[in-house]
Amino acid sequence: MQAPKLIRRLALATAALALALPLTPAAAESRPATAAAAGQVETNYADPVTALPPVSRPDTPHCTVTAMQHDFANSYGQPFTSTLTPPPDCPGPWNKVVLDWSGSVGGRQYDRLAGVWIGGAEVLRTSTPEPDPDGIKWHVDTDITAFAPLLRTAQPVVVDLGNLVNSTYTGVFHMTMTVTYYQADHHHPAAATADQVLPVSQSTTAPGWWNLGKGQSATATLAFPRNLTQAHLQLYARGGGCEEFWYANVPDSYAAAHADEGLCGGGTYREIQVQVDGRPAGTVQPFPAIYTGGISPMMWRPIPAIDAFRTLPYDLDLTPFAGTLTDGRPHTVTLLPPAGIADLWTLDGSLFLSTDPLRQQTSGAVTLDTVQPDPQLTTTTAAQADGSDLITATATRDWSVSGYVDTSRGRITTRLDRHGSYSNRDTISNGGQQQVSSQRDSGWLQTTVSHGPGRPEGTRADWSYPIDVTSTYVPGATADSYLVRGQATVARHLSTSTQQGHHWRPVDSTDDRLTAQGVMERQSGTLVQADGSGSEHYTGHSADGTCYDHQLAADHGWITLDRTTTCG
């Protein structure tokens, strides 16, 4: 029986369900006098919060439109649909547009994945917290100003939050979504955006994401403007089922040799590939997002894991291909999930296009493309003296793409150079009952834009996604007896720099670090332990010199520290 995968997932669901049930008199009497003592049973918890900064909002006239007020009960295959129309009192131009997503739920329920599309473009991906008996509420905001080219006209809205309600899983998600349009003024100019947003999704009137398995891909056939100069892809990607814990998956051969342990295969290395007209265009590394029921549900009450609520998309510059897309013919963009995966990945995206106002048609070519179908990946398995197995995986991923576009300003060449470094150490012991995973995924992407004889403009984006997870599942003497324990440390470090001569000047950065631990124990159907603690520290520096620093800590389901400080 392998803890963090399928079998443990079922055990966690049962244990999470038990959290919503009243304690038996014997269990209630056996609870310790102090919260810190062993055997703490945490039933209710504080409303979920994160250390992320709220979206800044200008002090200008604004209008708020309620785009959705809906209850998601038995909602699989039944998304919410409507139309979003810009308010007459705030016709634009806008300095900012903000989407607010607010919800409440009580009773018993799983964590659920949700997505929001406007005009076929996904503008929010999120997931829900698992509720307590008394009920919780939460809020997520996100800046959707970049989608202003779509928002200027009435657009179809689709919200998908698949849920199941019955006598066991009673939680109904009561959701409200608003969109607020902030007018531009002299002190708050109109936001600079792309000229066109082109969804890379499968529908404008239904959920736009694709659920892709091993060996599958998704292709969107698109019409591009003939005077295209730039194309930037924003990509959403998240794994489900066995792929929720992909950073702890084992090679297929190991999973087959230990079939009785319930292991998920596919190995641990993950990347999303993008093709333009069937030609490799680039890759992105996914962040190890963890749902609020992942590893051990008590770990995330009330501080969810990074990316659980406000999932960040990934950016890939497709400008080197822009000059090949202006012939007036249909062209394709293809999204490929990670190779060899054990379950489904949910993918889609949006293209942000810039055009030449002085030329009816641009042209160009791709001059360099070294993206290979597969990374340089090495995986080894070694038996250890203590009886455990150590599985290691290392990979490097280097590629370059370059192309030019002939515009009214002359020839503009864009080159991308990317380096990625990856390692994973996974120790499995006690017949799969304990697993210790340590993963390091980091790299950089350098973009160089050349225009005529002048000095090229260089931008570098660095990322690092370290994660360490220990999970333990110990079965008891009976089928309804077990101990589930988890610890995790995860972080996301992002930074952007610009080139000045031979030096790089930092422009902005974010540093989001989170630790969590939790335990659940059931004896003959009675919950005797259910407790957790966690902390999150977010620091962000922006190009204008502002800084945001927010620390959170929680114990036994309640916030013990909430500190926002000024940083320089």
Side-chain angles (χ1 to χ4, degrees), residues 536-554:
E536 183 182 11
H537 188 185
Y538 177 96
T539 304
H541 298 263
S542 61
D544 60 5
T546 59
C547 178
Y548 182 85
D549 188 290
H550 192 185
Q551 296 181 68
L552 291 172

Side-chain angles (χ1 to χ4, degrees), residues 52-74:
L52 293 177
V55 175
S56 63
R57 307 179 189 228
D59 184 17
T60 66
H62 54 275
C63 306
T64 298
V65 175
T66 299
M68 180 194 71
Q69 196 162 19
H70 187 71
D71 293 342
F72 290 88
N74 291 299

Side-chain angles (χ1 to χ4, degrees), residues 38-384:
Q40 170 81 9
V41 176
E42 171 195 315
T43 303
N44 293 306
Y45 70 101
D47 290 337
V49 291
T50 76
L52 293 177
V55 175
S56 63
R57 307 179 189 228
D59 184 17
T60 66
H62 54 275
C63 306
T64 298
V65 175
T66 299
M68 180 194 71
Q69 196 162 19
H70 187 71
D71 293 342
F72 290 88
N74 291 299
S75 52
Y76 277 107
Q78 299 183 35
F80 170 87
T81 59
S82 184
T83 300
L84 179 66
T85 303
D89 291 340
C90 294
W94 304 305
N95 173 264
K96 185 165 287 189
V97 185
V98 180
L99 183 149
D100 288 281
W101 170 267
S102 304
S104 64
V105 61
R108 317 168 195 138
Q109 197 51 266
Y110 280 121
D111 46 31
R112 305 294 190 183
L113 182 66
V116 177
W117 294 263
I118 299 176
E122 187 170 9
V123 299
L124 173 67
R125 183 169 295 190
T126 185
S127 58
T128 64
E130 293 192 343
D132 62 22
D134 287 352
I136 55 172
K137 58 183 179 180
W138 77 103
H139 170 257
V140 180
D141 59 1
T142 188
D143 186 347
I144 61 170
T145 311
F147 295 89
L150 281 177
L151 301 174
R152 294 186 187 113
T153 59
Q155 297 289 344
V157 173
V158 179
V159 180
D160 193 26
L161 197 170
N163 192 27
L164 175 67
V165 173
N166 52 33
S167 59
T168 301
Y169 302 104
T170 60
V172 176
F173 293 101
H174 309 287
M175 305 304 304
T176 299
M177 183 176 72
T178 63
V179 178
T180 303
Y181 304 77
Y182 293 88
Q183 289 286 106
D185 63 16
H186 179 70
H187 298 289
H188 305 87
T193 67
D195 297 312
Q196 183 179 344
V197 177
L198 201 58
V200 181
S201 63
Q202 62 175 330
S203 178
T204 59
T205 57
W209 52 32
W210 289 280
N211 292 306
L212 303 176
K214 182 177 181 179
Q216 295 181 319
S217 64
T219 297
T221 301
L222 306 169
F224 289 87
R226 303 198 69 171
N227 58 344
L228 182 67
T229 58
Q230 296 180 35
H232 294 266
L233 176 66
Q234 185 183 89
L235 172 68
Y236 281 101
R238 199 162 179 179
C242 263
E243 289 295 308
E244 289 183 32
F245 310 102
W246 54 267
Y247 47 84
N249 283 14
V250 300
D252 288 338
S253 57
Y254 190 93
H258 300 78
D260 60 334
E261 296 178 11
L263 296 158
C264 288
T268 59
Y269 180 81
R270 297 291 182 270
E271 70 174 23
I272 312 301
Q273 298 188 16
V274 178
Q275 297 177 349
V276 175
D277 289 334
R279 185 174 185 173
T283 62
V284 298
Q285 307 302 120
F287 177 80
I290 304 173
Y291 287 82
T292 57
I295 307 174
S296 176
M298 308 310 300
M299 298 170 64
W300 317 115
R301 302 185 174 199
I303 304 174
I306 299 170
D307 251 20
F309 282 2
R310 190 196 294 172
T311 300
L312 289 187
Y314 308 96
D315 296 321
L316 183 62
D317 192 349
L318 299 182
T319 300
F321 295 83
T324 68
L325 305 174
T326 62
D327 56 7
R329 300 174 182 173
H331 293 270
T332 60
V333 174
T334 300
L335 309 180
L336 292 88
I341 52 178
D343 218 315
L344 301 179
W345 276 72
T346 305
L347 308 179
D348 70 355
S350 300
L351 280 166
F352 296 85
L353 309 178
S354 297
T355 56
D356 190 332
L358 302 179
R359 181 174 279 194
Q360 291 185 345
Q361 183 175 358
T362 56
S363 60
V366 176
T367 57
L368 174 69
D369 188 346
T370 68
V371 182
Q372 297 299 313
D374 301 305
Q376 296 177 346
L377 175 64
T378 301
T379 302
T380 62
T381 302
Q384 304 299 293

